[in-house]
């Protein structure tokens, strides 16, 4: 049987108590058919009126205190234990009951254990233990005195060695300081020598550079002196040729001037004809401006009608949104642009008209792009790629105009009224 499930015998138990506990442990853990103390002390029916009693005659707690040397069994309880054990293993193959001689030996061990636990025996054991502890204490005291003497000697020797080491350290520090001073002096001398050599090298290089520059200047002067005469003669020849060209050109200019003076009369007549044509065009433009075509008149009437409806419904935002939605869904792009332009010049002193123009542009999904500040390059390039892509992704119509009312882009900061 495994001993891991059975209580272990305390180490403090000695003499007859230990022999009795070892016998109990051997009977239960090695010779019995049970695997644990719980199974050994399990209650079973005795057959008398259907009552249940512990299998070994004593309960589990009692046997547990026996095995832990917390209490000694009485002779009657030990005898009952042996009888119950013999009845429990009777008839089981491989398990023998406790013989009478073994029971008597156990009872004798119990008597010795009880005698061992008597006051006289405990006093005798305590005296023997005290004598042993006194001898041990005396030996420990003697060892302690010897160790203290050795420790004092070691401390004295260590103090002497420490003093010698301190002296040696001070000597080494002084030597190190002298070496450092000498090394600094050598470094300073080396730096001075290196600086002097560098200065000499720089002066020599500067002298070499000046010498090379002087040689180069001498070479250039020689070349200039060699070629100056030829250059001077060539410059005189070029000047004579230029003077001849200027004289021929002056003669041609004089001839051209005479020709232009002859044509001045013809030019004055042409200017008079141009002025007359411009006056005729302006008169026609004035007549067309005062007498527009029927489509323009109808478009203006339609714009005035819608503006009047918006003025009447200015206190009803839902009606205003309904009118703008109708215009955005039923009018053409040109008519919508004209109405937006007209609204921008309505209520100039507040933001009522321009705000409706912006709302109409959002409803009609149109965006106006003006090249501001105006330049021909910006007008030719047109809107940027980002603006075009934004309008294309959102289904917004992009219109380019050279001039557009500022009120459309810059709302009034302070309004004077609702209309």
């Amino acid at each position: 049987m495994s001993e891991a499930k059975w209580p272990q015998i305390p180490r403090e138990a000695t003499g007859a108590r230990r022999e009795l506990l070892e016998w109990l442990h051997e009977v239960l853990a090695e010779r019995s058919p049970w695997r644990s103390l719980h199974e050994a002390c399990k209650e079973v029916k005795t057959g008398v009126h259907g009552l249940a009693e512990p299998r070994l005659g004593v309960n589990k707690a009692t046997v547990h205190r026996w095995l832990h040397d917390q209490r000694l069994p009485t002779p009657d309880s030990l005898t009952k234990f042996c009888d119950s054990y013999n009845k429990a293993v009777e008839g089981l193959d491989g398990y023998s009951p406790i013989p009478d001689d073994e029971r008597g030996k156990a009872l004798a061990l119990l008597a010795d254990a009880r005698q061992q636990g008597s006051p006289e025996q405990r006093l005798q054991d305590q005296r023997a233990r005290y004598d042993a502890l006194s001898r041990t204490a005396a030996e420990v005291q003697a060892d302690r005195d010897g160790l203290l003497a050795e420790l004092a000697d070691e401390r004295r020797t260590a103090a002497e060695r420490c003093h010698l080491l301190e002296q040696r350290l001070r000597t080494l520090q002084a030597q190190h300081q002298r070496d450092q001073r000498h090394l600094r002096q050598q470094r300073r001398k080396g730096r001075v020598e290196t600086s002097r050599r560098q200065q000499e090298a720089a002066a020599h290089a500067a002298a070499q550079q000046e010498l090379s520059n002087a040689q180069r200047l001498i070479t250039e002067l020689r070349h200039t002196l060699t070629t100056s005469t030829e250059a001077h003669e060539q410059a005189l020849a070029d000047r004579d040729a230029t003077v001849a060209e200027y004289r021929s050109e002056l003669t041609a200019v004089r001839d051209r001037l005479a020709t232009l003076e002859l044509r001045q009369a013809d030019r004055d007549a042409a200017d008079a004809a141009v002025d007359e044509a411009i006056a005729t065009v302006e008169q026609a433009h004035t007549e067309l401006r005062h007498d527009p075509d029927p489509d323009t008149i109808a478009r203006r009437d339609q714009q005035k009608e819608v503006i009047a409806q918006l003025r009447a419904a200015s206190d009803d935002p839902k009606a205003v949104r309904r009118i703008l939605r109708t215009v955005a869904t039923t009018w053409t792009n040109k008519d919508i642009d004209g109405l937006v332009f007209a609204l921008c010049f309505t209520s100039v002193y507040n933001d009522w008209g321009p705000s409706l123009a912006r709302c109409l542009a959002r409803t009609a999904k149109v965006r106006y792009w003006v090249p501001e500040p105006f330049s021909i390059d910006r007008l030719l390039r047109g809107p940027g790629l980002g603006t075009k892509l934004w309008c294309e992704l959102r289904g917004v119509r992009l219109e380019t105009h050279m001039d557009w009312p500022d009120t459309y882009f810059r709302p009034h900061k302070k309004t004077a009224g609702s209309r």
Side-chain angles (χ1 to χ4, degrees), residues 78-96:
L78 185 59
T79 303
K80 186 177 181 180
F81 170 79
C82 295
D83 295 339
S84 301
Y85 179 85
N86 292 338
K87 289 180 181 180
V89 301
E90 185 178 1
L92 297 177
D93 295 336
Y95 300 98
S96 59

Side-chain angles (χ1 to χ4, degrees), residues 177-187 189:
Q177 292 177 358
R178 289 194 298 270
D179 294 341
Q180 289 292 329
R181 286 195 298 271
H182 181 69
L183 180 61
R184 286 194 293 271
Q185 293 175 359
Q186 294 295 330
R187 287 180 178 176
K189 291 180 180 179

